[in-house]
Amino acid sequence: MNKLIDYFRIGPVFRYFINVFRKPGPNRPSSVNLRMMHGINRISILMFLFAVIVYTVRHCVR
């Protein structure tokens, strides 16, 4: 049963979403490739949230 709970644990996912929008600390590596990857991830997260909001509004209006 404990393995099933660990399988559906989504805390690390939300922690990543929050950390993508933060500035990197002095101890974290920073390269052009890493900054580009995080920039693309930010755009993807924002587009996904926008799509969920649009879908929810359209579903509620019907």
Side-chain angles (χ1 to χ4, degrees), residues 11-59:
V13 174
F14 287 120
R15 209 171 307 125
Y16 175 76
F17 286 159
I18 292 170
N19 286 335
V20 166
F21 290 101
R22 289 186 184 166
K23 295 282 184 189
N27 296 332
R28 291 179 55 188
S30 180
S31 67
V32 174
N33 293 332
L34 190 62
R35 287 194 307 252
M36 289 289 197
M37 181 191 71
H38 284 300
I40 291 170
N41 285 347
R42 286 181 192 125
I43 293 168
S44 300
I45 291 168
L46 293 174
M47 287 177 62
F48 174 76
L49 291 175
F50 179 73
V52 167
I53 291 169
V54 168
Y55 177 78
T56 305
V57 168
R58 285 185 179 178
H59 184 71

